[in-house]
Amino acid sequence: MRKLVLAASMALLTACAAPQQEQINFMPKAVLSNSDLVKDAAFTLTSKDVRSAQYVALVDSGRSNIEPIHSKQNVRISIENALLEQFKSQGFRSTVSSENTIAIEVQEALVSVKHTVMENQMDGKVVLEITAETPQGKLVKAYTGTAKRTGALSASNEDIEVVLNDVINLVFQEISNDRELQQYMQERF
Protein backbone atom coordinates (compact mmCIF):
# COMPACT_ATOMS: atom_id res chain seq x y z
CA MET A 1 0.00 0.00 0.00
CA ARG A 2 2.81 2.37 0.89
CA LYS A 3 4.47 1.81 -2.51
CA LEU A 4 1.17 2.57 -4.24
CA VAL A 5 0.78 5.87 -2.35
CA LEU A 6 4.39 6.75 -3.14
CA ALA A 7 3.90 5.98 -6.86
CA ALA A 8 0.67 8.00 -7.00
CA SER A 9 2.37 10.93 -5.26
CA MET A 10 5.27 10.84 -7.71
CA ALA A 11 2.89 10.76 -10.70
CA LEU A 12 0.95 13.72 -9.31
CA LEU A 13 4.09 15.76 -8.67
CA THR A 14 5.41 14.97 -12.15
CA ALA A 15 2.14 16.16 -13.70
CA CYS A 16 2.30 19.39 -11.71
CA ALA A 17 5.88 20.02 -12.81
CA ALA A 18 5.11 19.45 -16.51
CA PRO A 19 5.21 22.61 -18.62
CA GLN A 20 1.82 24.24 -19.11
CA GLN A 21 0.43 24.48 -22.62
CA GLU A 22 0.84 27.91 -24.13
CA GLN A 23 -2.26 30.04 -24.56
CA ILE A 24 -3.09 33.34 -26.23
CA ASN A 25 -5.59 36.09 -25.44
CA PHE A 26 -8.71 36.17 -27.59
CA MET A 27 -10.30 39.60 -27.23
CA PRO A 28 -12.90 40.53 -29.85
CA LYS A 29 -13.90 44.20 -29.78
CA ALA A 30 -17.49 45.26 -30.39
CA VAL A 31 -18.05 47.92 -33.04
CA LEU A 32 -20.12 50.44 -31.12
CA SER A 33 -22.76 52.51 -32.88
CA ASN A 34 -23.06 56.26 -32.29
CA SER A 35 -26.82 56.27 -32.84
CA ASP A 36 -29.65 53.86 -32.13
CA LEU A 37 -31.22 51.96 -35.00
CA VAL A 38 -34.17 51.08 -32.79
CA LYS A 39 -35.49 51.96 -29.35
CA ASP A 40 -35.45 49.04 -26.93
CA ALA A 41 -36.27 46.23 -29.43
CA ALA A 42 -35.94 42.92 -27.56
CA PHE A 43 -34.31 39.69 -28.70
CA THR A 44 -32.94 36.49 -27.19
CA LEU A 45 -29.30 35.68 -27.95
CA THR A 46 -27.91 32.15 -28.18
CA SER A 47 -24.58 30.84 -29.41
CA LYS A 48 -22.80 27.61 -30.13
CA ASP A 49 -19.31 26.60 -31.13
CA VAL A 50 -19.32 23.93 -33.85
CA ARG A 51 -15.56 23.89 -34.50
CA SER A 52 -14.11 20.38 -34.61
CA ALA A 53 -11.32 21.36 -32.21
CA GLN A 54 -11.06 24.04 -29.54
CA TYR A 55 -7.57 25.37 -30.31
CA VAL A 56 -7.23 28.74 -32.07
CA ALA A 57 -3.80 28.27 -33.66
CA LEU A 58 -1.76 25.46 -35.17
CA VAL A 59 1.98 26.07 -35.27
CA ASP A 60 4.01 23.99 -37.74
CA SER A 61 7.71 24.37 -37.08
CA GLY A 62 8.61 22.03 -39.94
CA ARG A 63 10.07 19.33 -37.74
CA SER A 64 7.06 16.99 -37.92
CA ASN A 65 5.80 18.82 -34.88
CA ILE A 66 2.48 20.65 -35.10
CA GLU A 67 1.56 22.35 -31.86
CA PRO A 68 -1.98 23.52 -31.06
CA ILE A 69 -2.41 26.74 -29.08
CA HIS A 70 -5.60 27.41 -27.16
CA SER A 71 -7.27 30.63 -26.13
CA LYS A 72 -7.20 31.75 -22.50
CA GLN A 73 -10.81 32.87 -22.92
CA ASN A 74 -13.78 30.81 -24.07
CA VAL A 75 -14.12 31.69 -27.77
CA ARG A 76 -17.90 31.26 -27.94
CA ILE A 77 -18.59 33.34 -24.82
CA SER A 78 -16.14 36.09 -25.89
CA ILE A 79 -17.83 36.40 -29.29
CA GLU A 80 -21.32 36.31 -27.76
CA ASN A 81 -20.51 39.02 -25.21
CA ALA A 82 -18.90 41.33 -27.78
CA LEU A 83 -21.78 40.92 -30.26
CA LEU A 84 -24.29 41.53 -27.47
CA GLU A 85 -22.48 44.79 -26.65
CA GLN A 86 -22.49 45.69 -30.35
CA PHE A 87 -26.25 45.10 -30.71
CA LYS A 88 -26.98 46.97 -27.46
CA SER A 89 -25.15 50.02 -28.84
CA GLN A 90 -27.63 49.96 -31.75
CA GLY A 91 -30.61 50.14 -29.37
CA PHE A 92 -31.46 46.44 -29.05
CA ARG A 93 -32.11 44.78 -25.70
CA SER A 94 -31.35 41.19 -24.76
CA THR A 95 -33.98 39.23 -22.80
CA VAL A 96 -34.34 35.64 -21.72
CA SER A 97 -37.61 34.95 -23.53
CA SER A 98 -38.34 36.85 -26.71
CA GLU A 99 -39.97 35.60 -29.88
CA ASN A 100 -37.14 37.37 -31.74
CA THR A 101 -33.88 35.43 -31.60
CA ILE A 102 -30.33 35.82 -32.78
CA ALA A 103 -28.24 32.65 -32.94
CA ILE A 104 -24.48 32.87 -33.37
CA GLU A 105 -22.61 29.85 -34.66
CA VAL A 106 -18.80 29.85 -34.45
CA GLN A 107 -17.77 27.74 -37.43
CA GLU A 108 -14.07 28.55 -37.60
CA ALA A 109 -11.51 30.55 -35.62
CA LEU A 110 -7.98 29.50 -36.50
CA VAL A 111 -4.55 30.86 -37.32
CA SER A 112 -2.31 28.41 -39.19
CA VAL A 113 1.36 29.19 -38.65
CA LYS A 114 4.27 27.78 -40.62
CA HIS A 115 7.62 28.92 -39.46
CA THR A 116 11.29 28.26 -39.79
CA VAL A 117 14.21 29.92 -38.08
CA MET A 118 14.30 32.60 -40.80
CA GLU A 119 10.62 33.42 -41.52
CA ASN A 120 7.01 32.77 -40.64
CA GLN A 121 3.73 32.75 -42.51
CA MET A 122 0.37 33.09 -40.76
CA ASP A 123 -3.04 32.48 -42.30
CA GLY A 124 -5.98 33.47 -40.11
CA LYS A 125 -9.63 32.68 -40.74
CA VAL A 126 -12.79 33.29 -38.74
CA VAL A 127 -16.26 32.22 -39.89
CA LEU A 128 -19.40 33.18 -37.95
CA GLU A 129 -22.96 32.45 -38.95
CA ILE A 130 -25.74 34.65 -37.60
CA THR A 131 -29.38 33.63 -37.76
CA ALA A 132 -31.94 36.36 -36.99
CA GLU A 133 -35.35 34.74 -36.53
CA THR A 134 -38.80 36.18 -35.90
CA PRO A 135 -42.32 34.74 -36.20
CA GLN A 136 -42.36 36.28 -39.71
CA GLY A 137 -39.31 34.35 -40.91
CA LYS A 138 -35.55 34.15 -40.62
CA LEU A 139 -32.38 35.56 -42.11
CA VAL A 140 -29.19 33.46 -42.12
CA LYS A 141 -25.87 35.10 -42.98
CA ALA A 142 -22.27 33.90 -42.84
CA TYR A 143 -19.44 36.33 -42.16
CA THR A 144 -15.85 35.43 -43.02
CA GLY A 145 -12.64 37.22 -42.17
CA THR A 146 -9.22 36.20 -43.45
CA ALA A 147 -5.70 37.51 -43.12
CA LYS A 148 -2.26 36.53 -44.34
CA ARG A 149 0.89 37.79 -42.72
CA THR A 150 4.55 36.98 -43.21
CA GLY A 151 7.44 38.04 -41.07
CA ALA A 152 11.08 37.50 -40.32
CA LEU A 153 12.14 34.86 -37.81
CA SER A 154 9.63 32.57 -36.11
CA ALA A 155 6.20 33.81 -35.02
CA SER A 156 5.69 34.60 -31.35
CA ASN A 157 2.45 34.00 -29.47
CA GLU A 158 1.93 37.78 -29.48
CA ASP A 159 2.14 37.79 -33.30
CA ILE A 160 -0.43 34.99 -33.51
CA GLU A 161 -2.66 36.81 -31.03
CA VAL A 162 -2.57 40.00 -33.14
CA VAL A 163 -3.58 38.13 -36.31
CA LEU A 164 -6.43 36.25 -34.60
CA ASN A 165 -7.84 39.38 -32.94
CA ASP A 166 -7.48 41.43 -36.14
CA VAL A 167 -9.46 38.82 -38.10
CA ILE A 168 -12.31 38.56 -35.55
CA ASN A 169 -12.48 42.35 -35.42
CA LEU A 170 -12.78 42.45 -39.23
CA VAL A 171 -15.74 40.08 -38.96
CA PHE A 172 -17.36 42.29 -36.29
CA GLN A 173 -16.86 45.30 -38.58
CA GLU A 174 -18.55 43.40 -41.42
CA ILE A 175 -21.51 42.52 -39.16
CA SER A 176 -21.76 46.13 -38.01
CA ASN A 177 -21.83 47.39 -41.61
CA ASP A 178 -24.32 44.79 -42.90
CA ARG A 179 -27.33 46.85 -43.98
CA GLU A 180 -29.41 43.74 -44.76
CA LEU A 181 -29.07 42.38 -41.22
CA GLN A 182 -29.69 45.81 -39.69
CA GLN A 183 -32.79 46.38 -41.79
CA TYR A 184 -34.14 42.91 -41.04
CA MET A 185 -33.73 43.41 -37.28
CA GLN A 186 -35.00 46.99 -37.44
CA GLU A 187 -38.20 46.07 -39.28
CA ARG A 188 -39.04 42.82 -37.50
CA PHE A 189 -37.71 43.03 -33.93
Side-chain angles (χ1 to χ4, degrees):
M1 181 70 176
R2 190 170 173 211
K3 287 183 180 178
L4 182 61
V5 170
L6 185 60
S9 298
M10 289 298 287
L12 186 62
L13 286 172
T14 304
C16 291
Q20 297 294 312
Q21 236 184 357
E22 293 188 54
Q23 294 182 327
I24 61 174
N25 282 311
F26 179 70
M27 300 175 294
K29 287 190 180 108
V31 178
L32 302 178
S33 176
N34 294 331
S35 60
D36 290 350
L37 291 173
V38 294
K39 289 281 185 224
D40 208 36
F43 69 94
T44 301
L45 183 65
T46 60
S47 64
K48 63 182 174 179
D49 191 341
V50 297
R51 296 176 298 149
S52 57
Q54 297 305 303
Y55 49 78
V56 292
L58 277 177
V59 180
D60 181 358
S61 58
R63 289 171 256 147
S64 300
N65 183 23
I66 297 177
E67 176 190 357
I69 299 177
H70 291 79
S71 169
K72 290 178 186 173
Q73 297 80 7
N74 181 303
V75 170
R76 178 189 64 80
I77 292 172
S78 296
I79 289 172
E80 182 180 311
N81 288 340
L83 272 175
L84 182 59
E85 186 181 345
Q86 188 164 311
F87 288 133
K88 280 183 177 178
S89 79
Q90 296 172 342
F92 294 97
R93 178 176 52 88
S94 176
T95 66
V96 186
S97 58
S98 172
E99 58 185 18
N100 304 319
T101 62
I102 294 179
I104 306 162
E105 188 174 275
V106 182
Q107 296 179 344
E108 193 171 346
L110 182 67
V111 177
S112 298
V113 183
K114 288 187 180 192
H115 67 101
T116 63
V117 177
M118 300 303 285
E119 69 175 1
N120 69 71
Q121 178 179 342
M122 292 184 274
D123 295 319
K125 186 172 184 183
V126 172
V127 180
L128 298 181
E129 184 179 271
I130 293 183
T131 304
E133 191 167 2
T134 68
Q136 293 88 30
K138 80 167 131 174
L139 174 71
V140 180
K141 299 216 49 184
Y143 301 91
T144 303
T146 58
K148 290 186 183 298
R149 182 173 161 193
T150 56
L153 307 173
S154 57
S156 68
N157 281 359
E158 290 78 23
D159 295 334
I160 297 168
E161 191 175 292
V162 166
V163 169
L164 180 63
N165 287 314
D166 282 353
V167 174
I168 188 63
N169 291 335
L170 282 173
V171 171
F172 275 39
Q173 189 72 47
E174 186 182 347
I175 293 168
S176 171
N177 294 333
D178 186 349
R179 295 281 173 231
E180 186 181 10
L181 178 64
Q182 287 177 355
Q183 190 172 359
Y184 187 88
M185 292 170 66
Q186 202 172 4
E187 291 172 358
R188 291 174 175 82
F189 279 21

